[in-house]
Amino acid sequence: MGSEVVWWTQGDRPQRDNESGPWTLVRLIDNDNNPIKPNNFKVTRYRAGVKYSAGDRVRMPNGNVYRCRDWPATPWCELEGYAPGKTQHWRDAWSRVN
């Protein structure tokens, strides 16, 4: 009989860069359930003033990932007043991915 590590966890959120945790990445999908190749899934830290393109993904300090919306909302993604998850207007420029 082989040994197997099994544990129960609560409150551990899946993280793409944590291979030692309880979660394993199986596949990435977009909002329409289409597969995304991992090399196309670039996530950077959000910074106000950076010119983002539609579809760009950013990670906020709390671990949430957001996608810059398509035109005509795209220009708002760089404005601090639309910072993802932080202001009352963030949904006008960003959509939450996770």
Side-chain angles (χ1 to χ4, degrees):
M1 186 162 83
S3 65
E4 184 176 317
V5 176
V6 179
W7 67 85
W8 179 83
T9 180
Q10 179 177 351
D12 287 329
R13 295 184 61 134
Q15 294 181 7
R16 193 161 179 245
D17 57 353
N18 183 6
E19 295 184 23
S20 64
W23 296 95
T24 301
L25 177 63
V26 176
R27 68 180 172 171
L28 300 169
I29 58 172
D30 65 15
N31 291 337
D32 297 320
N33 278 343
N34 298 314
I36 299 172
K37 294 180 182 176
N39 60 351
N40 292 338
F41 191 75
K42 182 179 177 188
V43 178
T44 59
R45 181 177 55 91
Y46 174 78
R47 292 186 335 215
V50 170
K51 190 170 193 97
Y52 293 101
S53 298
D56 284 352
R57 296 169 190 261
V58 298
R59 182 179 312 279
M60 294 302 282
N62 64 4
N64 290 337
V65 176
Y66 299 86
R67 178 188 174 280
C68 182
R69 290 189 179 273
D70 295 332
W71 180 264
T74 307
W76 299 336
C77 291
E78 70 182 270
L79 301 176
E80 190 170 4
Y82 292 89
K86 291 193 131 195
T87 69
Q88 66 184 29
H89 302 293
W90 73 267
R91 287 178 183 87
D92 294 335
W94 298 91
S95 58
R96 186 169 167 194
V97 174
N98 70 345

